[in-house]
Amino acid sequence: MNIKKEAAQRLLALTELTAITGTRIYRGGRLPRDQSLQPPHVIIWLLSKERHYDHTGYSGLTDATLQISCFSRDPDETDSMVALVRASMEAWPAESDQIDSVFIEDESDFFEQETLIHHIPLDIKISYHEKE
């Protein structure tokens, strides 16, 4: 399972979120070539990934930490995007037998004075079963 791809597809399926961002939900490393990102948008980065092993080898369980960052010029819009992302991610384990758990580990609020863009990153720990 490509957890970044699955998370991006999950977020792209949220009509309330895509009403704000359009299709501007990106995975880190797959940003537009010209790098001219126009807010509002979402970027998903893989911060860490740990496969669990036991005495017989890989157990099939993997922990990953994703950073899902929401960007907008409007602070209320950024807050709305974050609320939608949080609700979707927290509901994921109940909707998929491959996802064991999802925890929001950190949330920060930033404002970039030069660009007037509000940025809220969510660090999300996901435990899931990875198919080999």
Side-chain angles (χ1 to χ4, degrees):
M1 168 188 280
N2 181 331
I3 196 68
K4 282 192 311 183
K5 182 178 178 182
E6 296 294 324
Q9 289 174 342
R10 182 170 181 79
L11 296 180
L12 283 165
L14 293 175
T15 56
E16 300 93 344
L17 183 60
T18 57
I20 298 169
T21 64
T23 59
R24 293 182 305 275
I25 297 174
Y26 306 108
R27 291 182 278 153
R30 294 185 173 261
L31 302 174
R33 289 188 185 271
D34 61 8
Q35 296 294 311
S36 61
L37 297 173
Q38 295 300 315
H41 64 273
V42 174
I43 301 177
I44 303 168
W45 292 99
L46 177 65
L47 299 183
S48 66
K49 182 175 173 180
E50 178 185 2
R51 294 166 56 115
H52 292 270
Y53 293 87
D54 57 26
H55 294 291
T56 60
Y58 176 54
S59 69
L61 186 64
T62 300
D63 289 334
T65 302
L66 297 181
Q67 183 174 81
I68 302 181
S69 293
C70 300
F71 298 86
S72 179
R73 293 197 196 304
D74 178 348
D76 294 332
E77 188 173 67
T78 311
D79 289 340
S80 295
M81 293 164 59
V82 166
L84 291 166
V85 168
R86 185 184 309 109
S88 177
M89 291 292 112
E90 289 177 339
W92 204 356
E95 299 168 6
S96 171
D97 59 351
Q98 288 187 281
I99 305 295
D100 273 6
S101 63
V102 174
F103 296 101
I104 309 298
E105 291 193 328
D106 191 32
E107 179 177 334
S108 304
D109 200 351
F110 299 104
F111 178 67
E112 299 171 10
Q113 187 65 43
E114 302 81 32
T115 60
L116 304 178
I117 294 176
H118 298 269
H119 169 210
I120 301 177
L122 294 171
D123 291 351
I124 302 171
K125 179 85 165 226
I126 303 171
S127 294
Y128 64 98
H129 297 276
E130 189 168 41
K131 294 179 184 175
E132 294 210 320

